[in-house]
Structure formats: C-alpha cells, structure tokens
Amino acid sequence: MNVKVLIVGGGPAGLAAAIGAYDKGEKDILILEREDRLGGILNQCIHNGFGLHTFKEELTGPEYASRFIDEVKKRNIKYLLNTTVIRLEENKHVIALNESGVLEIDADAIILACGCRERPRGAVNIAGARCAGIYSAGTAQKLVNIDGFMPGKEVVILGSGDIGLIMARRMTFEGAKVKAVCELMPYSSGLNRNISQCLNDFDIPLYLSTTVVEILGDDRVTGVVIANVDKNLKPIMETKRTIKCDTLLLSVGLLPENELARGANIDISRITRGANVDDKLMTSIDGVFECGNVLHVHDLVDYVSEEAKLAGENAVNYVRNNDNKKYDKVFVEVDGNVRYVVPEMIIKNNDDSPISFKLRVSNVFKDKYLEIKCDDEIIYSKKKTILTPGEMQNIILKEDDVIKLRNAKNIMVYLR
C-alpha cells in the first residue's frame, strides 16, 4: 500500500494533523489508530476545561474529540482502527498489524502522533509488596469513567501532575476520601487552575517536598508511609508518618511513546524524550514529522491541536515540493533555567512564516524576563510575574523576528 501522508495515532494530535494536511490540499491521507475508536485519551477525560483556546468555550474531552472526529469524517479522510504499528523504517516503510493481518505501507511523509504513557510504579522504586490497590492515575481514570469501576475508597495520590489532580476531584465526586496528594518537588507539576479547582475546593491537602517511601499491605494496600525530602530529593527518614488507605494512585510523569522513532534511529532528546525537530517539526529523517505529546508533553490539548495542524501542513509542503535539500540549521540553546525548548533547530532558509517556540522552565521563578537572543540582539523579551514547570510557555514570533532567527549564527532562550 502507498499513501502520500501517513499518520500514526488517531488521538487529538493525529486528528488535527490529518485536518491540517487535507486543508492544505492533500487528499491521500491515512490514519492508523490502535484503539477501537478515534479520539485517544480524550475519550476518558470526561471533565471540562478543554477547547478554551480553540473553540472559546469549555468542553469535555469527548466533546472536544468529537468535533475533530466530525471534521475528519466530513473530509472523508481514511482511517483504520484496531491497527497497531509495530515498525517504522528509515525509508518511510511502515509495518502494522490488525485483524486483516500484516499491513505494509510506504508513505511520502509520515507524521508520528503516538501520544504518551504514564511512568509505572517500577520507575519510582517504592518499597512494599505487589499488593492490589496500586494504579496509575490514568488507569484509575479509565476504570472510573469508562468501565464504571471504583478502584478504592480511601486514597493517597503520589504526584501532583494534572491527571493526579483531576483524579483527586473525580474520586471525591464518586464518594472516596482522598487523604493526601504528595509531591516530591517543592512545587506542583500541575496547572494552577487544577490545584485550585481539584484540591483547594475540596480541602484535599497537598504535601510538597514529600514522597511515599513504603507501601503497606500484603493482599491489598492498607496504608502508605510518607516522608519529607531534602534539597537533593532524598527522604528524611525522621519525618516518616503513616496514612491509612486502601488505594495509591501514581501520577509520576508521562513518557512520549517513541519506540517507533527509536527503532528508526531518529534522534531523540534526552530531556523531552521526544524527537529532536526543526521548526517544521521534521525529525532527523527527511519526511518524518512529530507532533503532540509524543514530541513533548503539553499541558493543554489546544496547543496539541495547533502544533499538529502545523505538522500536517508541513508534511504536505514536503510531499509537494519534494524538498530533500539539506538546509543548514542552527541549534537553539537554553540556559539552566529553561529546561527545554521545541523546536531545537531553526532552518536557514527564506521562509518568513511565524515560528512558535514551546518551552518549560526548570523551577519556580518570579519576576523574570523570558528572552530570546539572536547573536547579540534580543528579539523577544517579556516579563513574567511567575513561571512554573507545570505551565508550558508558548512564544509566537512574527515575520521580522523569524528572518533574524533564520539568519542567526547563535540562538539562545533564557531567563533574566
């Protein structure tokens, strides 16, 4: 099978990428989705708060997804469900499996929109037996919202990521008692609005610089032992105390699903664990693009859709122009206060269309200037009252500044 644009993943990124590609003029598009429906993780996110940027109204996850699914169907964009991609090769040859058997697909351009997964218990190395009652927050969300099953009645949550915060509220709505949310870092990794709406509104305590050091129980969780941590994030054992509970939810980070990219020897960032991309969202393999949470973990799905639409448009430009020229690129550097920036590279060509930088800081900062410097000239400077790792910054540079970026020898993103 041959297609012009192949999209791996039918979640919010894949759907927006397909629409972007179609509206750019390409009709030969195929989406591969491993689940039995389009929409991805949004199908289990029944809370509201989606779509404020895209649609200027609050939607639930399924409502947000359905709008994009409807647009995909209106355009008659082809998609295959229950189809798992098992290999991506460097020549843009894809091997997938579904109930029909093995599919082999060659594409002129491929967009990886595979999303991300949760870090498991093994990644945080907590002492204790392998007893029942330990779930990732996303698994608990699926059990409650899709399967109608309550994981437990007395809950402790480790990690204050957005999924963990939202599940604190969700479990409370369903009659459970959430006794504590513990966060290893001295700051929450979730959005401020979720801290307010999911914890403060329900008097759920948030313990910062605190972690779970032991899980109690044999057949079922009976409690957890928590302790404060020092500045090196090591538990201070003299501060240990026990919280009785029957359930522990883990919200300890998300990992981009980049096994396909690694298998194709695509360059991967050690910070984001997504691909290193240029400002067209193209990876180290010509014609292979990444977008959404497989590229870097976003805090708002609206930004995922915006980024993915751009990836779809860029994929079509690549197919149309048969642009295999190896332009020179300049790497974007960051200081120690900026954890990462995407894109990591700027192409040195004559394209003056807007460039969006997305970044996260490495700590909580107050009253700092977020700046971008090209060689010796500051082209962007904005004072920020507060910057936190949980809030992604989105900087859009217009024509004049883009020209400076593309002609720079050195680009630096930093705080001052």
Side-chain angles (χ1 to χ4, degrees):
M1 181 190 303
N2 294 276
V3 297
K4 291 293 185 181
V5 178
L6 178 68
I7 299 171
V8 182
L15 295 170
I19 292 168
Y22 187 96
D23 291 351
K24 194 70 176 177
E26 182 55 63
K27 304 300 187 286
D28 187 13
I29 303 166
L30 176 63
I31 303 171
L32 302 181
E33 168 55 46
R34 66 186 177 189
E35 300 293 335
D36 61 359
R37 69 185 81 176
L38 296 173
I41 195 66
L42 292 178
N43 291 319
Q44 69 185 52
C45 299
I46 65 172
H47 53 281
N48 62 4
F50 300 92
L52 288 170
H53 292 267
T54 306
F55 299 110
K56 310 303 179 188
E57 59 179 306
E58 277 197 301
L59 303 172
T60 65
E63 287 172 331
Y64 186 94
S66 70
R67 295 198 180 188
F68 282 87
I69 293 169
D70 289 345
E71 293 300 317
V72 164
K73 291 180 177 179
K74 280 181 189 176
R75 291 163 174 77
N76 292 316
I77 296 173
K78 294 177 290 184
Y79 58 89
L80 294 175
L81 302 177
N82 297 306
T83 302
T84 300
V85 176
I86 60 172
R87 190 161 77 221
L88 164 65
E89 298 177 354
E90 294 183 45
N91 61 355
K92 298 193 286 291
H93 181 74
V94 166
I95 299 175
L97 295 174
N98 63 17
E99 60 186 6
S100 300
V102 177
L103 302 176
E104 297 200 37
I105 305 169
D106 291 294
D108 290 354
I110 295 174
I111 301 174
L112 298 177
C114 314
C116 59
R117 66 176 182 271
E118 296 177 281
R119 292 179 71 209
R121 175 187 175 180
V124 291
N125 198 26
I126 305 171
R130 294 172 62 88
C131 47
I134 306 168
Y135 303 89
S136 68
T139 298
Q141 185 181 62
K142 181 178 184 296
L143 289 172
V144 175
N145 293 347
I146 302 294
D147 300 330
F149 173 79
M150 271 296 284
K153 290 295 185 182
E154 293 186 310
V155 183
V156 171
I157 299 175
L158 176 59
S160 61
D162 289 313
I163 301 174
L165 298 176
I166 288 164
M167 281 309 295
R169 178 178 62 184
R170 187 75 182 98
M171 295 293 283
T172 301
F173 281 161
E174 291 298 323
K177 173 66 176 175
V178 179
K179 293 193 167 183
V181 175
C182 301
E183 171 58 54
L184 178 70
M185 303 303 290
Y187 50 80
S188 171
S189 56
L191 293 170
N192 286 330
R193 76 182 189 197
N194 284 333
I195 296 170
S196 175
Q197 296 172 4
C198 300
L199 299 188
N200 298 345
D201 287 356
F202 298 94
D203 296 322
I204 298 171
L206 171 62
Y207 300 134
L208 299 175
S209 297
T210 302
T211 191
V212 174
V213 296
E214 186 179 359
I215 301 170
L216 305 176
D218 294 320
D219 297 329
R220 173 86 194 195
V221 173
T222 59
V224 295
V225 179
I226 66 172
N228 298 344
V229 299
D230 61 22
K231 63 181 181 180
N232 297 315
L233 306 182
K234 300 297 184 183
I236 305 170
M237 302 312 286
E238 308 90 80
T239 65
K240 288 196 306 183
R241 61 261 196 209
T242 298
I243 301 177
K244 291 183 178 180
C245 63
D246 60 18
T247 304
L248 174 65
L249 302 188
L250 302 175
S251 178
V252 291
L254 299 169
L255 302 173
E257 292 263 21
N258 259 310
E259 285 70 24
L260 292 175
R262 288 192 180 90
N265 296 315
I266 289 173
D267 292 342
I268 301 294
S269 165
R270 64 181 182 84
I271 303 297
T272 65
R273 302 196 183 184
N276 288 312
V277 295
D278 60 30
D279 58 272
K280 299 303 179 185
L281 300 175
M282 190 158 69
T283 69
S284 58
I285 295 181
D286 277 358
V288 178
F289 301 79
E290 273 202 355
C291 59
N293 283 349
V294 73
L295 178 58
H296 62 115
V297 177
H298 296 60
D299 48 8
L300 297 178
V301 71
D302 305 74
Y303 291 151
V304 167
S305 300
E306 176 187 278
E307 181 178 272
K309 180 175 180 290
L310 180 63
E313 294 169 352
N314 291 337
V316 173
N317 287 335
Y318 173 85
V319 170
R320 281 182 178 172
N321 299 330
N322 194 23
D323 193 357
N324 293 314
K325 288 186 293 184
K326 285 286 187 181
Y327 289 106
D328 289 335
K329 298 177 183 180
V330 57
F331 283 85
V332 182
E333 299 179 40
V334 298
D335 71 351
N337 296 325
V338 177
R339 186 164 180 265
Y340 74 81
V341 63
V342 173
E344 291 90 352
M345 296 166 281
I346 302 298
I347 302 169
K348 297 178 76 67
N349 61 12
N350 297 318
D351 183 359
D352 61 4
S353 56
I355 288 178
S356 172
F357 279 118
K358 295 180 173 66
L359 61 98
R360 289 184 189 269
V361 295
S362 58
N363 210 324
V364 176
F365 298 97
K366 295 182 179 180
D367 297 322
K368 291 283 189 179
Y369 284 89
L370 177 56
E371 296 186 341
I372 301 175
K373 181 186 288 187
C374 288
D375 298 327
D376 294 323
E377 181 183 357
I378 297 172
I379 65 168
Y380 177 89
S381 181
K382 186 171 183 179
K383 187 173 184 180
K384 297 285 187 174
T385 304
I386 187 166
L387 291 156
T388 68
E391 304 251 4
M392 189 181 75
Q393 303 298 312
N394 188 24
I395 301 170
I396 299 176
L397 298 178
K398 300 299 174 60
E399 180 178 335
D400 290 345
D401 293 328
V402 169
I403 293 172
K404 293 173 183 175
L405 279 176
R406 296 203 186 281
N407 288 285
K409 295 180 180 177
N410 299 288
I411 302 172
M412 170 70 79
V413 181
Y414 61 96
L415 297 185
R416 176 176 62 85

